[in-house]
Amino acid sequence: MRNDRAEKKLLMKLAEDNEEYAAKIIKEIYGKFENLQIFPGMGLGLFKRVGFRTDYKYAIWEDYVIIYKFGNEFVEIYRVVNRYQDITRIFE
């Protein structure tokens, strides 16, 4: 379920301003990951937000959007992005 690349990018961006805050945010986002593992259907279909067909779902946590897929036995976190970012650009 971990996405080390997404974690590293997010942590580096947050740590530029405040390392303690970055660590707190990462911990809270991992809590959201655990919720998604338990309740994978809690997010919405990403197609509603991006305007094209996709199997990904998304969940919003504060200023972040967690993009993920879930299968029979796992949840795959694809990206964690700023809520105000144009999400369609990450699929180009």
Side-chain angles (χ1 to χ4, degrees):
M1 187 170 88
R2 291 183 61 125
N3 187 331
D4 292 329
R5 183 182 67 182
E7 175 189 353
K8 185 177 179 181
K9 287 175 94 173
L10 182 60
L11 183 58
M12 287 173 54
K13 178 69 175 159
L14 292 171
E16 289 175 5
D17 296 326
N18 185 328
E19 191 173 328
E20 288 180 22
Y21 179 72
K24 176 183 178 274
I25 293 298
I26 294 298
K27 183 177 179 181
E28 290 176 5
I29 289 175
Y30 269 101
K32 187 70 167 181
F33 291 173
E34 290 173 7
N35 287 343
L36 291 172
Q37 184 71 22
I38 296 167
F39 304 106
M42 70 187 276
L44 299 172
L46 186 63
F47 67 90
K48 294 177 181 178
R49 187 167 174 136
V50 297
F52 55 82
R53 190 171 187 84
T54 179
D55 293 336
Y56 287 99
K57 295 179 76 68
Y58 75 97
I60 296 175
W61 177 80
E62 292 194 8
D63 286 338
Y64 302 96
V65 176
I66 302 167
I67 300 171
Y68 69 99
K69 277 186 181 181
F70 69 93
N72 293 333
E73 299 179 23
F74 62 91
V75 172
E76 174 188 358
I77 305 299
Y78 176 65
R79 295 282 283 273
V80 178
V81 297
N82 185 288
R83 174 181 195 163
Y84 304 104
Q85 179 178 342
D86 179 4
I87 294 175
T88 58
R89 296 186 71 200
I90 66 175
F91 290 96
E92 293 177 344

